[in-house]
Amino acid sequence: MRLFHVLRELGARGWPITLVAPASPAKIERGAVLREAGITLRSVRRPASRGREAMEATLATPAVGWAMLTRSWASWQAEVYRTELAPTLDDVFAEFWDAVLIEHDWAVRWARMVPDTVPIGLVFQNLTGDLHRRRAGTEHHRVARVLARRESWLAEREVAAHAPRLSRAIACSRDDAERIEERWGIPSGVVPNGTETARLAGVRHDAELTGRLVFTGTMSYPPNAQAAIWMAREVLPLVRVRRPDATLQLVGGGAPPEVEALGTLEGVDVTGRVPALEPVLARAEVAVAPLLSGGGTKLKVLEALAAGRPLVATPVGAEGIEVTHGEHLLVAADAPAFARAVVDLLNDRPAAISLAERGRTLVAERYDWSAVGGRMDAVLRDWLLG
């Protein structure tokens, strides 16, 4: 979503861009909007099965199979993509380019395919090493902790190996930009995540529904699944002691069995994927972002604030966004504090509405996709023209 909106904004500002990427049929169809913005698309259609995609890449290039043992999981998946895209990349790089931007730090190995004369920038939507390190710190199972630490080490090693070839990094937050410069010495700009504030501004609360809490996110993403479990099992029971009518709706596709099982708990509804977010937010009295791990800035937080929903977040959920506790949202680090914050918003509707309006104003001013696109435009100009 971020890449789509940022590219559309850059195209509207006159940047000549060619996007090279693997794509599902649905995303290829969505590419028509980018073409209308003047962006050239060079894509390879992905098969429906990710397993088939990996098998075909390994058969075509046996070294891809060995790479599974020596690289981080995301980096290995990027190598699967590269196997199919290699002929297209060779063709594209035969032309003259002012610069190449690589999206995601786990795809940094693609830098080796770029001609030496072309400057390269790397977009960090997350610091993948930090993401896995945090996950290791919150995992209860020893094997999962070990695997997460291994992923963290491999991810950071891969960036370090290619850092000398990078002339610019683009991070989603100031904190991430500072970490990138400290660890790898790459000059960094900040381009935050964003949201469609005009679309979400029309969401109005369904006043007949009270006590409903909503958490949205792709549940196949481990930090979201972990957050859903913590919210349902640790926080909601504390909320219901003081507000027995409180319920929790978990919205997002790909839920693993342990998240699906939360639907058996009293007051918990595991909804799954929904066609549109607006009706879900309209039914929420309070939105929650109970993340304990993860990285980058959270689109779910920006969406809830843009829709004018009172929000409670953990420090991880709120990080990377220039918000202030008590002014734009409430921040709570542990289950008792999180539950108290939720109950306070449920019990004091005028204060909750005032908090939500300030959050909505902030997001409209700083995090609309048009503002984000302007920020990317400025960072690129500083890098390439400054």
Side-chain angles (χ1 to χ4, degrees), residues 9 19 25 35 43 46 50 93 136 145 150 157 168 197 209 246 249 355:
E9 291 292 335
L19 171 64
R35 285 192 291 270
S43 60
R46 297 182 61 190
R50 181 172 288 190
F93 290 143
R145 289 198 300 271
R150 177 182 183 273
R157 185 185 70 168
R168 186 59 54 108
T197 59
L209 296 171
Q249 184 179 15
L355 185 79

Side-chain angles (χ1 to χ4, degrees), residues 2 21 50 64 67-68 120 162 203 214 218 239 258 303 351 383:
R2 170 190 165 89
R50 181 172 288 190
V64 170
M68 184 187 296
I120 303 175
H162 293 88
V203 173
V214 168
T218 302
V239 173
E258 56 269 30
E303 289 168 341
W383 174 33

Side-chain angles (χ1 to χ4, degrees), residues 32-104:
V33 178
L34 295 180
R35 285 192 291 270
E36 291 172 3
I39 294 170
T40 301
L41 302 182
R42 300 289 298 273
S43 60
V44 172
R45 185 182 294 268
R46 297 182 61 190
S49 165
R50 181 172 288 190
R52 176 184 169 189
E53 181 180 48
M55 183 179 298
E56 289 177 351
T58 302
L59 292 174
T61 309
V64 170
W66 170 250
M68 184 187 296
L69 303 177
T70 59
R71 296 184 198 154
S72 68
W73 174 257
S75 174
W76 178 77
Q77 186 66 46
E79 194 67 10
V80 170
Y81 298 156
R82 190 201 66 81
T83 302
E84 286 293 320
L85 280 169
T88 302
L89 289 167
D90 289 339
D91 184 42
V92 167
F93 290 143
E95 304 174 31
F96 171 79
W97 299 101
D98 293 301
V100 168
L101 273 178
I102 297 174
E103 192 79 14
H104 296 294

Side-chain angles (χ1 to χ4, degrees), residues 122-197:
L122 181 63
V123 180
F124 289 76
Q125 289 200 20
N126 292 296
L127 270 65
T128 303
D130 284 3
L131 188 155
H132 288 294
R133 188 178 301 110
R134 272 185 174 168
R135 185 180 172 191
T138 58
E139 284 286 356
H140 298 296
H141 300 292
R142 184 174 182 275
V143 172
R145 289 198 300 271
V146 170
L147 290 175
R149 291 191 188 105
R150 177 182 183 273
E151 289 290 298
S152 175
W153 176 73
L154 288 172
E156 295 200 347
R157 185 185 70 168
E158 288 160 358
V159 175
H162 293 88
R165 183 66 181 87
L166 307 175
S167 60
R168 186 59 54 108
I170 297 174
C172 288
S173 71
R174 289 192 178 92
D175 287 345
D176 281 358
E178 291 173 0
R179 293 184 187 108
I180 291 164
E181 293 191 358
E182 289 173 2
R183 292 175 192 174
W184 301 298
I186 311 169
S188 301
V190 179
V191 179
N193 275 321
T195 190
E196 297 177 88
T197 59

Side-chain angles (χ1 to χ4, degrees), residues 255-319:
E258 56 269 30
V259 172
E260 291 284 0
L262 299 175
T264 64
L265 301 178
E266 187 174 359
V268 179
D269 174 22
V270 181
T271 304
R273 184 183 298 276
V274 294
L277 191 61
E278 293 91 331
V280 170
L281 292 173
R283 292 191 293 269
E285 190 165 6
V286 174
V288 295
L291 288 110
L292 305 176
S293 62
T297 49
K298 316 303 184 295
L299 291 173
K300 61 179 70 63
V301 169
L302 295 174
E303 289 168 341
L305 292 175
R309 293 286 77 85
L311 177 72
V312 182
T314 57
V316 174
E319 72 178 353

